[in-house]
């Protein structure tokens, strides 16, 4: 007997997997990688999840990348969005459908998740849990060990694969029962419950809405939403301003085809900016003024900045003397 345990990176999914493992059932810890994880933390987060899984379950985490297919979900989720661009119900249904497809591949019989009745307002109330199970097609093969005691019996319980009296009855917003159980299992150093999904972040959601309303959604542009300051210049042009050397480098490397790069001259400290879309002379000047706003001008009132088109080789640089765009005008363009 084996279960696929969906691991989100938070404590609850780890506990759910451990409860099943404690009953002597094989558990395959599985994490679905989506394109909306916080970028800066991604590497360390991956390590954290890996090490948490290893410490808590004594196993390696299996990661399955579902990024491309996941993008579709934020366009028009059937069950709508949470308070930001998070389509949590559709997201869970999608992941469970994927898990169901993998049952046979991993020679597993059911799926385990760390959901707790009433813990989250959008996706963990009773009707949402029922909808998620029904639409996932798992048909009795979805077990939620943390709150199974307050839900209808599932097939693993009815068939005697797992003992219902060794499952839990957690419900409500309190995290105390999970923290107590973690202590019982000697699980420590777990991340807080907020998770790392950028779709719940209002500022990221705003940038994503802008992207969706102006162009086709793709993984590369979603990746760029995670870095820099974003400005919508026109229906067909946007500018991304690097916030540090690492982002500057990344923006320069991401530039392609018709993209523009705007930057200070070598004597001036300031950001590298990526312009994507259609630029005429007015938009080039506006982009240089925004770039200039973030340059270190000291006492001078203007500076000569450089720009070039990424797709032209060898590089043809031009320059323009501009003054910085004042803050009140800048905020009209900022996303
Ligand atoms: S917070 Fe993000 S990853 Fe979690 S269920 Fe909602 S959309 Fe999915």
């Amino acid at each position: 007997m084996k279960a696929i345990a969906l691991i989100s990176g938070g404590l609850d999914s780890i506990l759910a997997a451990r409860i099943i493992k404690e009953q002597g059932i094989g558990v395959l810890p599985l994490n679905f990688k989506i394109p909306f994880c916080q970028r800066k933390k991604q590497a360390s987060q991956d390590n954290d999840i890996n090490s948490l899984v290893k410490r808590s379950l004594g196993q390696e985490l299996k990661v399955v990348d579902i990024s491309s297919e996941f993008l579709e979900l934020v366009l028009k989720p059937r069950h709508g969005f949470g308070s930001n661009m998070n389509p949590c119900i559709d997201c869970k249904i999608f992941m469970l459908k994927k898990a169901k497809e993998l049952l046979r591949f991993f020679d597993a019989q059911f799926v385990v998740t760390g959901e707790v009745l009433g813990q989250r307002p959008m996706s963990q109330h009773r009707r949402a849990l029922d909808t998620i199970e029904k639409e996932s097609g798992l048909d009795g093969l979805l077990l939620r060990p943390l709150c199974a005691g307050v839900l209808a019996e599932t097939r693993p319980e009815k068939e005697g694969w797992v003992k219902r009296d060794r499952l839990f009855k957690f419900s409500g917003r309190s995290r105390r029962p999970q923290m107590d159980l973690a202590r019982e299992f000697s699980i420590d150093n777990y991340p807080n419950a907020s998770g790392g999904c950028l779709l719940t972040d209002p500022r990221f959601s705003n940038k994503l809405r802008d992207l969706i309303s102006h162009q086709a959604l793709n993984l590369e542009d979603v990746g760029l939403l995670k870095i820099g300051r974003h400005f919508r210049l026109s229906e067909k042009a946007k500018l991304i301003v690097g916030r540090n050397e690492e982002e500057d480098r990344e923006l320069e490397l991401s530039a392609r085809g018709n993209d523009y790069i705007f930057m200070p001259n070598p004597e001036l400290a300031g950001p590298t900016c990526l312009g994507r879309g259609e630029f005429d002379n007015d938009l080039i000047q506006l982009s240089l003024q925004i770039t200039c706003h973030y340059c270190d001008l000291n006492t001078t009132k203007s500076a000569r900045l450089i720009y070039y088109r990424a797709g032209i080789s060898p590089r043809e640089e031009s320059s323009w003397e501009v003054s910085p765009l004042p803050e009140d005008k800048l905020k009209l363009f900022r996303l």
Side-chain angles (χ1 to χ4, degrees):
M1 199 52 57
K2 196 201 284 178
I4 289 180
L6 294 191
I7 303 293
S8 64
L11 173 63
D12 295 4
S13 56
I14 297 279
L15 288 174
R18 177 70 178 264
I19 292 166
I20 296 306
K21 198 171 166 124
E22 290 285 318
Q23 294 207 17
I25 294 163
V27 162
L28 178 92
L30 181 81
N31 173 257
F32 285 122
K33 184 177 174 205
I34 63 169
F36 299 104
C37 296
Q38 278 172 17
R39 180 175 172 275
K40 269 210 165 156
K41 290 188 193 157
Q42 182 77 62
S44 58
Q45 212 172 38
D46 286 351
N47 281 337
D48 286 351
I49 300 175
N50 271 323
S51 94
L52 185 60
V53 167
K54 230 180 252 174
R55 282 185 282 119
S56 319
L57 304 171
Q59 283 169 259
E60 291 288 334
L61 179 67
K62 178 103 193 144
V63 179
V64 175
D65 192 338
I66 53 169
S67 297
S68 326
E69 296 161 88
F70 194 89
L71 275 190
E72 290 287 313
L73 276 193
V74 295
L75 292 177
K76 212 171 174 200
R78 241 166 75 81
H79 297 281
F81 294 103
S83 46
N84 292 291
M85 284 291 280
N86 46 313
C88 294
I89 295 181
D90 291 76
C91 168
K92 284 166 185 268
I93 293 169
F94 182 72
M95 288 188 183
L96 287 170
K97 277 183 176 165
K98 287 272 150 209
K100 184 182 175 220
E101 283 168 25
L102 293 171
L103 278 177
R104 195 189 293 191
F105 183 78
F106 289 117
D107 196 19
Q109 286 70 44
F110 62 103
V111 177
V112 169
T113 67
E115 289 154 303
V116 170
L117 179 67
Q119 182 103 143
R120 292 185 192 277
M122 181 187 186
S123 59
Q124 296 189 13
H125 55 83
R126 194 173 288 272
R127 198 152 42 85
L129 292 185
D130 289 346
T131 304
I132 289 166
E133 181 182 359
K134 191 163 167 247
E135 294 192 20
S136 71
L138 273 163
D139 199 19
L141 292 177
L142 170 60
L143 182 64
R144 294 153 163 143
L146 292 174
C147 60
V150 291
L151 301 178
E153 257 188 308
T154 59
R155 220 176 123 204
E157 295 158 275
K158 284 180 191 158
E159 302 272 351
W161 304 339
V162 297
K163 293 190 177 59
R164 186 171 169 89
D165 60 359
R166 288 177 62 194
L167 302 175
F168 291 79
K169 295 181 177 172
F170 299 169
S171 73
R173 304 296 297 268
S174 170
R175 305 282 309 149
R176 177 58 54 193
Q178 287 95 311
M179 287 154 76
D180 289 344
L181 188 57
R183 204 167 307 115
E184 214 175 286
F185 286 145
S186 303
I187 297 173
D188 52 14
N189 283 332
Y190 46 83
N192 66 36
S194 66
C197 177
L198 285 165
L199 294 172
T200 60
D201 178 282
R203 293 201 70 174
F204 183 87
S205 295
N206 200 27
K207 291 188 278 183
L208 181 60
R209 268 186 221 104
D210 170 81
L211 188 66
I212 290 171
S213 63
H214 288 92
Q215 65 180 81
L217 204 56
N218 62 65
L219 285 177
E220 190 201 338
D221 284 307
V222 166
L224 285 175
L225 295 184
K226 299 178 191 177
I227 62 170
R229 299 178 174 93
H230 288 238
F231 297 86
R232 169 60 54 192
L233 307 182
S234 75
E235 283 302 304
K236 293 189 173 164
K238 75 179 286 191
L239 183 75
I240 309 170
V241 179
R243 291 173 299 191
N244 51 48
E245 273 183 40
E246 193 190 335
E247 290 188 350
D248 290 349
R249 230 182 352 264
E250 195 158 344
L251 288 173
E252 203 166 356
L253 287 173
S254 304
R256 52 169 162 76
N258 290 333
D259 291 346
Y260 279 88
I261 288 292
F262 304 94
M263 53 171 47
N265 70 60
E267 275 87 52
L268 187 65
T272 298
C273 306
L274 171 71
R276 182 158 284 181
E278 294 176 18
F279 286 73
D280 57 15
N281 276 348
D282 287 346
L283 287 185
I284 288 174
Q285 188 181 16
L286 177 62
S287 303
L288 289 167
Q289 286 181 293
I290 294 174
T291 309
C292 193
H293 179 95
Y294 292 101
C295 287
D296 194 359
L297 291 190
N298 289 320
T299 53
T300 54
K301 295 218 169 359
S302 65
R304 182 156 289 277
L305 302 195
I306 295 166
Y307 67 96
Y308 66 88
R309 193 90 169 263
I312 297 176
S313 181
R315 185 192 291 189
E316 289 176 12
E317 283 186 3
S318 305
S319 68
W320 206 326
E321 182 85 16
V322 290
S323 49
L325 196 71
E327 182 63 38
D328 59 330
K329 294 213 172 115
L330 190 81
K331 68 180 180 203
L332 301 175
F333 301 101
R334 190 186 279 139
L335 292 171

